Amino acid sequence: MTLTLYYHPLASYCWKVLIALYEHGTPFARRVVDLGDPAQRAELVALWPLGRFPVLQDGDQVVAESSIIVEHLDRRHPGPRPLLPVDADQALAARRWDRLLDNDVQGPVQAIVGDRLRGGHGDLARAYATLTTVYALLEQELGATGWLVGDEFGFADCAAAPALFYAATLQPLPAGAARLRAYVERLLARPSVARVLDEARPSFASYPFADAIEPRFR
Ligand SMILES: N[C@@H](CCC(=O)N[C@@H](CS)C(=O)NCC(=O)O)C(=O)O
């Protein structure tokens, strides 16, 4: 097997890549990395100096950054259909959502969770406000197809599932945001996403906001 994924089952950016791998049905070897273990951290840093996961080793090529890994899989290890839309305008729309979900959902989530892990004294008003803004944008822009771009699950949805799952544990989805709430339900029911959730479940106790995970997912 040429593909090895370095990851942790709780790590949201790793979920994005796992979801893509499961969507494609691409076989891969797993290397779970405990960043608290100096030897395992050193092994990851030797591959990718920033010491962040996910990292994909594909033969002698090391691919870092979750969105780049998903595009790499689309090109080199495709499943039945590409996750990134073939249409150039739709591809741009998908990349825009991927950026927003990483920068403006995962970013605030990491800030809030990081603050809690450090003891919880930071000013998080901006992080929470950004989550509120992106929820409103999603509610406004979600269309009738049920997915973020086009009429099939794709690249943007791979980014949305982990970002919105964890964000909802910090800032509940607004009761009136019917399209957003239905979208998140659809995402979490997707077999690739449900599989990632199942694999993360044994680690949820280490998540500082585990009590806010809906009981049906714990
Ligand atoms: N932009 C990166 C972000 C990756 C990232 O932040 N990964 C987290 C886990 S979800 C991590 O490795 N954190 C440990 C650290 O930064 O030391 C990507 O998309 O892959």
Side-chain angles (χ1 to χ4, degrees), residues 8 10-17 35 41 44 48 50-55 64-69 98-99 102-103 106 110 166:
H8 191 280
L10 202 55
S12 51
Y13 284 102
C14 300
W15 285 19
K16 193 200 293 188
V17 170
L35 287 176
R41 179 182 281 273
L44 183 67
W48 178 237
L50 291 168
R52 288 197 301 245
F53 39 44
V55 172
E65 288 293 321
S66 57
S67 311
I68 307 302
I69 298 173
D98 175 75
R99 295 298 75 233
D102 278 15
N103 296 329
Q106 300 256 39
Q110 282 188 333
Y166 279 110

Short mmCIF file of all heavy atoms in Angstrom, two decimals, residues 8 10-17 35 41 44 48 50-55 64-69 98-99 102-103 106 110 166, ligand 1:
data_model
loop_
_atom_site.label_atom_id
_atom_site.label_comp_id
_atom_site.label_asym_id
_atom_site.label_seq_id
_atom_site.Cartn_x
_atom_site.Cartn_y
_atom_site.Cartn_z
N HIS A 8 -4.95 12.01 13.85
CA HIS A 8 -5.52 11.60 15.12
C HIS A 8 -7.04 11.59 14.94
O HIS A 8 -7.58 12.50 14.30
CB HIS A 8 -5.11 12.56 16.25
CG HIS A 8 -5.48 12.01 17.59
ND1 HIS A 8 -6.77 12.09 18.10
CD2 HIS A 8 -4.75 11.32 18.51
CE1 HIS A 8 -6.81 11.47 19.27
NE2 HIS A 8 -5.60 11.00 19.55
N LEU A 10 -9.46 12.39 16.72
CA LEU A 10 -10.23 13.52 17.28
C LEU A 10 -10.00 14.81 16.50
O LEU A 10 -10.75 15.78 16.66
CB LEU A 10 -9.75 13.71 18.73
CG LEU A 10 -10.64 14.42 19.74
CD1 LEU A 10 -12.01 13.76 19.82
CD2 LEU A 10 -9.96 14.41 21.12
N ALA A 11 -8.97 14.86 15.69
CA ALA A 11 -8.51 16.13 15.09
C ALA A 11 -9.37 16.50 13.88
O ALA A 11 -9.46 15.76 12.90
CB ALA A 11 -7.05 16.02 14.70
N SER A 12 -9.96 17.69 13.95
CA SER A 12 -10.97 18.06 12.97
C SER A 12 -10.42 18.16 11.54
O SER A 12 -11.08 17.76 10.59
CB SER A 12 -11.64 19.37 13.38
OG SER A 12 -10.67 20.34 13.65
N TYR A 13 -9.21 18.69 11.38
CA TYR A 13 -8.67 18.77 10.02
C TYR A 13 -8.40 17.36 9.46
O TYR A 13 -8.46 17.15 8.25
CB TYR A 13 -7.39 19.60 9.98
CG TYR A 13 -7.64 21.09 10.08
CD1 TYR A 13 -7.45 21.78 11.27
CD2 TYR A 13 -8.07 21.81 8.97
CE1 TYR A 13 -7.68 23.14 11.37
CE2 TYR A 13 -8.31 23.18 9.06
CZ TYR A 13 -8.11 23.84 10.26
OH TYR A 13 -8.35 25.19 10.35
N CYS A 14 -8.10 16.42 10.35
CA CYS A 14 -7.91 15.04 9.89
C CYS A 14 -9.22 14.43 9.43
O CYS A 14 -9.24 13.63 8.48
CB CYS A 14 -7.29 14.19 11.01
SG CYS A 14 -5.69 14.81 11.56
N TRP A 15 -10.32 14.85 10.07
CA TRP A 15 -11.63 14.34 9.62
C TRP A 15 -11.86 14.69 8.15
O TRP A 15 -12.41 13.90 7.40
CB TRP A 15 -12.76 14.97 10.44
CG TRP A 15 -12.92 14.46 11.84
CD1 TRP A 15 -12.02 13.79 12.60
CD2 TRP A 15 -14.10 14.61 12.64
NE1 TRP A 15 -12.55 13.52 13.84
CE2 TRP A 15 -13.82 14.01 13.89
CE3 TRP A 15 -15.34 15.20 12.44
CZ2 TRP A 15 -14.76 13.99 14.92
CZ3 TRP A 15 -16.27 15.18 13.47
CH2 TRP A 15 -15.99 14.57 14.70
N LYS A 16 -11.46 15.90 7.77
CA LYS A 16 -11.72 16.32 6.38
C LYS A 16 -11.11 15.31 5.40
O LYS A 16 -11.75 14.89 4.42
CB LYS A 16 -11.10 17.72 6.14
CG LYS A 16 -11.55 18.37 4.86
CD LYS A 16 -10.63 19.48 4.38
CE LYS A 16 -10.59 20.69 5.26
NZ LYS A 16 -9.80 21.81 4.63
N VAL A 17 -9.89 14.88 5.69
CA VAL A 17 -9.19 13.95 4.80
C VAL A 17 -9.78 12.53 4.91
O VAL A 17 -9.94 11.84 3.90
CB VAL A 17 -7.68 13.97 5.13
CG1 VAL A 17 -6.96 12.85 4.40
CG2 VAL A 17 -7.10 15.33 4.76
N LEU A 35 0.47 13.55 19.75
CA LEU A 35 1.43 14.67 19.79
C LEU A 35 2.03 14.87 21.16
O LEU A 35 3.05 15.56 21.31
CB LEU A 35 0.73 15.96 19.33
CG LEU A 35 0.43 16.07 17.83
CD1 LEU A 35 -0.35 17.33 17.54
CD2 LEU A 35 1.71 16.02 17.00
N ARG A 41 5.76 12.73 18.04
CA ARG A 41 5.81 14.10 17.51
C ARG A 41 7.04 14.27 16.61
O ARG A 41 6.97 14.85 15.53
CB ARG A 41 5.85 15.13 18.66
CG ARG A 41 5.94 16.56 18.17
CD ARG A 41 6.02 17.53 19.34
NE ARG A 41 4.74 17.77 19.96
CZ ARG A 41 3.87 18.70 19.56
NH1 ARG A 41 4.15 19.47 18.53
NH2 ARG A 41 2.73 18.88 20.18
N LEU A 44 6.52 12.87 13.24
CA LEU A 44 5.70 13.73 12.39
C LEU A 44 6.51 14.94 11.90
O LEU A 44 6.45 15.30 10.71
CB LEU A 44 4.46 14.20 13.17
CG LEU A 44 3.46 15.05 12.39
CD1 LEU A 44 2.78 14.22 11.29
CD2 LEU A 44 2.38 15.63 13.32
N TRP A 48 7.05 16.48 8.27
CA TRP A 48 6.47 17.80 7.98
C TRP A 48 6.88 18.73 9.12
O TRP A 48 6.40 18.59 10.25
CB TRP A 48 4.94 17.68 7.87
CG TRP A 48 4.22 18.96 7.61
CD1 TRP A 48 3.23 19.51 8.36
CD2 TRP A 48 4.42 19.87 6.51
NE1 TRP A 48 2.79 20.69 7.81
CE2 TRP A 48 3.51 20.93 6.67
CE3 TRP A 48 5.27 19.88 5.40
CZ2 TRP A 48 3.44 22.00 5.77
CZ3 TRP A 48 5.19 20.94 4.52
CH2 TRP A 48 4.28 21.97 4.70
N LEU A 50 6.26 21.51 10.32
CA LEU A 50 5.31 22.25 11.15
C LEU A 50 4.68 21.36 12.23
O LEU A 50 4.03 21.86 13.15
CB LEU A 50 4.24 22.91 10.29
CG LEU A 50 4.80 24.05 9.43
CD1 LEU A 50 3.79 24.48 8.38
CD2 LEU A 50 5.17 25.25 10.30
N GLY A 51 4.85 20.05 12.09
CA GLY A 51 4.39 19.14 13.14
C GLY A 51 2.88 19.14 13.32
O GLY A 51 2.39 18.89 14.42
N ARG A 52 2.16 19.44 12.26
CA ARG A 52 0.69 19.42 12.33
C ARG A 52 0.17 18.28 11.46
O ARG A 52 0.78 17.93 10.45
CB ARG A 52 0.10 20.73 11.77
CG ARG A 52 0.31 21.92 12.66
CD ARG A 52 -0.63 23.05 12.26
NE ARG A 52 -0.44 23.46 10.90
CZ ARG A 52 0.02 24.66 10.51
NH1 ARG A 52 0.33 25.55 11.43
NH2 ARG A 52 0.16 24.94 9.25
N PHE A 53 -0.95 17.72 11.88
CA PHE A 53 -1.58 16.73 11.02
C PHE A 53 -2.90 17.25 10.52
O PHE A 53 -3.43 18.21 11.09
CB PHE A 53 -1.71 15.37 11.69
CG PHE A 53 -2.08 15.37 13.15
CD1 PHE A 53 -3.08 16.19 13.66
CD2 PHE A 53 -1.45 14.49 14.03
CE1 PHE A 53 -3.44 16.15 14.99
CE2 PHE A 53 -1.81 14.45 15.37
CZ PHE A 53 -2.80 15.28 15.83
N PRO A 54 -3.43 16.70 9.43
CA PRO A 54 -3.03 15.48 8.73
C PRO A 54 -1.82 15.67 7.81
O PRO A 54 -1.60 16.75 7.27
CB PRO A 54 -4.27 15.17 7.87
CG PRO A 54 -4.83 16.53 7.54
CD PRO A 54 -4.60 17.35 8.78
N VAL A 55 -1.09 14.56 7.64
CA VAL A 55 -0.03 14.47 6.63
C VAL A 55 -0.23 13.14 5.91
O VAL A 55 -0.47 12.11 6.56
CB VAL A 55 1.37 14.53 7.27
CG1 VAL A 55 2.44 14.23 6.23
CG2 VAL A 55 1.62 15.89 7.91
N ALA A 64 1.01 17.71 2.72
CA ALA A 64 0.49 18.32 3.94
C ALA A 64 -0.64 19.26 3.57
O ALA A 64 -0.84 19.60 2.40
CB ALA A 64 1.60 19.07 4.67
N GLU A 65 -1.36 19.71 4.60
CA GLU A 65 -2.50 20.63 4.48
C GLU A 65 -3.73 19.87 3.98
O GLU A 65 -3.75 19.34 2.86
CB GLU A 65 -2.21 21.82 3.57
CG GLU A 65 -1.24 22.82 4.20
CD GLU A 65 -1.84 23.55 5.41
OE1 GLU A 65 -3.03 23.89 5.39
OE2 GLU A 65 -1.11 23.74 6.40
N SER A 66 -4.74 19.87 4.83
CA SER A 66 -5.91 19.02 4.57
C SER A 66 -6.54 19.26 3.19
O SER A 66 -6.87 18.31 2.49
CB SER A 66 -6.95 19.21 5.68
OG SER A 66 -7.32 20.57 5.79
N SER A 67 -6.70 20.53 2.81
CA SER A 67 -7.37 20.80 1.52
C SER A 67 -6.52 20.31 0.35
O SER A 67 -7.05 19.83 -0.66
CB SER A 67 -7.64 22.30 1.35
OG SER A 67 -8.23 22.81 2.52
N ILE A 68 -5.21 20.46 0.50
CA ILE A 68 -4.30 20.02 -0.58
C ILE A 68 -4.33 18.49 -0.66
O ILE A 68 -4.30 17.91 -1.77
CB ILE A 68 -2.86 20.51 -0.30
CG1 ILE A 68 -2.84 22.03 -0.06
CG2 ILE A 68 -1.91 20.11 -1.43
CD1 ILE A 68 -3.38 22.86 -1.18
N ILE A 69 -4.42 17.84 0.50
CA ILE A 69 -4.48 16.37 0.49
C ILE A 69 -5.76 15.91 -0.22
O ILE A 69 -5.73 14.97 -1.03
CB ILE A 69 -4.41 15.81 1.93
CG1 ILE A 69 -3.08 16.17 2.60
CG2 ILE A 69 -4.60 14.30 1.92
CD1 ILE A 69 -2.99 15.81 4.09
N ASP A 98 -14.40 26.08 1.49
CA ASP A 98 -13.34 25.37 2.23
C ASP A 98 -12.50 26.36 3.02
O ASP A 98 -12.18 26.13 4.20
CB ASP A 98 -12.48 24.58 1.24
CG ASP A 98 -11.30 23.90 1.91
OD1 ASP A 98 -11.51 22.89 2.59
OD2 ASP A 98 -10.17 24.41 1.77
N ARG A 99 -12.13 27.49 2.40
CA ARG A 99 -11.33 28.51 3.10
C ARG A 99 -12.11 29.10 4.27
O ARG A 99 -11.59 29.31 5.36
CB ARG A 99 -10.91 29.64 2.14
CG ARG A 99 -9.96 29.30 0.98
CD ARG A 99 -8.60 28.79 1.46
NE ARG A 99 -8.67 27.43 1.93
CZ ARG A 99 -8.23 27.00 3.13
NH1 ARG A 99 -7.66 27.81 3.97
NH2 ARG A 99 -8.34 25.74 3.48
N ASP A 102 -12.40 26.62 7.10
CA ASP A 102 -11.13 26.47 7.83
C ASP A 102 -10.82 27.74 8.64
O ASP A 102 -10.57 27.70 9.84
CB ASP A 102 -9.98 26.20 6.87
CG ASP A 102 -9.89 24.73 6.45
OD1 ASP A 102 -10.87 23.99 6.67
OD2 ASP A 102 -8.84 24.34 5.90
N ASN A 103 -10.82 28.88 7.94
CA ASN A 103 -10.35 30.11 8.59
C ASN A 103 -11.35 30.66 9.59
O ASN A 103 -10.96 31.16 10.66
CB ASN A 103 -10.06 31.20 7.54
CG ASN A 103 -8.93 30.80 6.63
OD1 ASN A 103 -8.01 30.09 7.03
ND2 ASN A 103 -8.97 31.25 5.38
N GLN A 106 -13.15 26.72 11.77
CA GLN A 106 -12.12 25.96 12.50
C GLN A 106 -11.19 26.90 13.29
O GLN A 106 -10.75 26.56 14.38
CB GLN A 106 -11.27 25.14 11.54
CG GLN A 106 -12.04 24.13 10.72
CD GLN A 106 -11.85 22.70 11.22
OE1 GLN A 106 -11.81 22.46 12.43
NE2 GLN A 106 -11.76 21.78 10.32
N GLN A 110 -10.59 26.51 17.18
CA GLN A 110 -9.26 26.24 17.77
C GLN A 110 -8.94 27.29 18.84
O GLN A 110 -8.36 26.98 19.87
CB GLN A 110 -8.18 26.23 16.70
CG GLN A 110 -8.15 24.92 15.90
CD GLN A 110 -6.95 24.81 14.96
OE1 GLN A 110 -6.41 25.81 14.51
NE2 GLN A 110 -6.53 23.59 14.66
N TYR A 166 -17.84 20.47 15.38
CA TYR A 166 -17.17 21.00 16.58
C TYR A 166 -17.69 22.39 16.93
O TYR A 166 -17.86 22.71 18.11
CB TYR A 166 -15.65 21.01 16.37
CG TYR A 166 -15.03 19.65 16.62
CD1 TYR A 166 -14.51 18.89 15.57
CD2 TYR A 166 -14.99 19.10 17.90
CE1 TYR A 166 -13.95 17.63 15.80
CE2 TYR A 166 -14.43 17.84 18.13
CZ TYR A 166 -13.91 17.12 17.08
OH TYR A 166 -13.37 15.86 17.31
N1 LIG B 1 -4.05 24.20 7.85
C1 LIG B 1 -3.80 22.89 8.39
C2 LIG B 1 -4.22 22.89 9.86
C3 LIG B 1 -3.88 21.58 10.53
C4 LIG B 1 -4.07 21.65 12.04
O1 LIG B 1 -4.18 22.73 12.63
N2 LIG B 1 -4.05 20.47 12.66
C5 LIG B 1 -4.18 20.41 14.10
C6 LIG B 1 -5.05 19.25 14.49
S1 LIG B 1 -6.70 19.44 13.89
C7 LIG B 1 -2.82 20.17 14.69
O2 LIG B 1 -2.01 19.46 14.13
N3 LIG B 1 -2.57 20.75 15.86
C8 LIG B 1 -1.37 20.54 16.58
C9 LIG B 1 -0.41 21.69 16.52
O3 LIG B 1 -0.70 22.69 15.82
O4 LIG B 1 0.61 21.58 17.19
C10 LIG B 1 -4.57 21.85 7.57
O5 LIG B 1 -5.55 22.19 6.91
O6 LIG B 1 -4.14 20.68 7.55
#
